Amino acid sequence: MAAAGSAGPEPMPSYAQLVQRGWGSALAAARGCADCGWGLARRGLAEHAHLAPPELLLLALGALGWTVLRSAATSRVFRPLAKRCRLQPRDAAKMPESAWKFLFYLGAWSYSTYLLFGTDYPFFHDPPSVFYDWKTGMAVPRDIAVAYLLQGSFYSHSIYATLYLDAWRKDSVVMLVHHVVTVVLIVSSYAFRYHKVGILVLFLHDISDVQLEFTKLNVYFKSRGGAHHRLHALAADLGCLSFCLSWFWFRLYWFPLKVLYATSYCSLRLVPGIPFYFFFNVLLLLLTLMNLYWFLYIVAFAAKVLTGQVRELKDVREYDTAEAPSPKPPKAEKPLRNGLVKDKRF
């Protein structure tokens, strides 16, 4: 166990340093693990995982609560709003999904921003600090525990929502994998008291979802009432540009160089023999690969815009009506043709 150093925050590494040091640390850890296997995993769970049944019950109740709240918001707020604004039928069908996600991610990202920049937590400016003074079963600060409960329950709800509520898209299977990986990361990082790095991961991912859903809402509203609204069209264009830039900067630049560097390299320096090192780093690497996968959609969309193949924002991941497989179309929000901007995610 290590304490914070006195030399100040470590400079952010380059991609080459991340690969060299992270890969070197992983190889050294693998060679030095004499009894790796299920036996070590079982001992690690017994000795280091701290998760009480009431906490899991609270998570499940939270997921149920999000589902009920979404149903109520859709029927009482979002659909009446779409009707009052006279949105086109296909836009009115999709607007509740985007409005719901926009409100959640805006609140979640605002809260994680407050934790990282409005308190004394140094995790963003000094990522290795997430492992300073780490110890088994350490207390989780209440403000971070609240963020974990909200995010963990929402992503648990999102697994159900992707299957039964959201429009089915070409990457919905990947989205399901993403939600499962996210829930596993949230629950296990809480149990092993890696909550500090968890807050950093959530902050770096939620901002893209805020911009994504904001852009989609403006696309839906720009043609309301049978007229073209320039303000919404401009907001959609600016939102799309901001979304593309933030996706790369937050998820493909800051995320690997801040989070992966801290978990793959700094963790072993500060906490030799840190439990479940490979488990967490494999999941974080899988998250990075999914971010790269979705970035390909963004690049494909940008290329079509630049070459004149696309004249308006739309979601290149969505099916046309004729080709949509639609596993279990939701009663309230059916998959429609030519969806609008979405290139997704955390």
Side-chain angles (χ1 to χ4, degrees), residues 56-78:
L56 288 174
L57 177 61
L58 193 59
L59 184 74
L61 290 176
L64 179 61
W66 285 121
T67 304
V68 173
L69 183 59
R70 173 171 175 170
S71 177
T74 297
S75 60
R76 295 173 180 266
V77 180
F78 301 142

Side-chain angles (χ1 to χ4, degrees), residues 24-44:
S25 296
L27 286 179
R31 294 192 190 104
C33 187
D35 59 345
C36 287
W38 290 112
L40 179 63
R42 285 194 296 269
R43 292 197 303 273

Side-chain angles (χ1 to χ4, degrees), residues 19-218:
V19 173
Q20 180 184 12
R21 296 174 183 176
W23 181 251
S25 296
L27 286 179
R31 294 192 190 104
C33 187
D35 59 345
C36 287
W38 290 112
L40 179 63
R42 285 194 296 269
R43 292 197 303 273
L45 283 171
E47 296 173 8
H48 300 291
H50 292 77
L51 188 64
E55 292 173 321
L56 288 174
L57 177 61
L58 193 59
L59 184 74
L61 290 176
L64 179 61
W66 285 121
T67 304
V68 173
L69 183 59
R70 173 171 175 170
S71 177
T74 297
S75 60
R76 295 173 180 266
V77 180
F78 301 142
R79 284 184 194 155
L81 178 61
K83 184 177 181 180
R84 179 177 299 178
C85 294
R86 294 190 295 160
L87 298 185
Q88 295 182 13
R90 66 179 185 182
D91 296 339
K94 294 178 185 177
M95 189 275 280
E97 177 186 341
S98 290
W100 166 256
K101 292 178 180 179
F102 172 74
L103 291 175
F104 172 79
Y105 288 119
L106 179 61
W109 186 74
S110 298
Y111 186 58
S112 60
T113 300
Y114 160 74
L115 291 177
L116 291 176
F117 300 99
T119 66
D120 295 330
Y121 296 132
F123 313 145
F124 181 82
H125 300 292
D126 185 18
S129 67
V130 298
F131 295 108
Y132 293 167
D133 299 319
W134 177 89
K135 60 182 178 181
T136 297
M138 62 189 294
V140 179
R142 182 172 298 179
D143 50 6
I144 293 181
V146 168
Y148 258 70
L149 174 61
L150 293 176
Q151 294 270 11
S153 59
F154 182 82
Y155 278 104
S156 298
H157 148 79
S158 295
I159 295 174
Y160 171 82
T162 300
L163 286 169
Y164 300 107
L165 300 178
D166 299 343
W168 190 258
R169 301 178 174 91
K170 294 177 182 178
D171 70 334
S172 289
V173 173
V174 180
M175 187 67 71
L176 277 173
V177 173
H178 166 269
H179 292 338
V180 171
V181 169
T182 301
V183 171
V184 171
L185 275 171
I186 289 175
V187 172
S188 56
S189 65
Y190 180 88
F192 284 90
R193 300 307 190 249
Y194 299 146
H195 49 275
K196 298 177 182 179
V197 70
I199 290 298
L200 188 55
V201 172
L202 293 170
F203 166 78
L204 292 175
H205 282 76
D206 285 346
I207 180 59
S208 300
D209 295 306
V210 174
Q211 295 168 321
L212 171 64
E213 303 304 339
F214 171 81
T215 302
K216 292 175 66 178
L217 286 171
N218 278 282

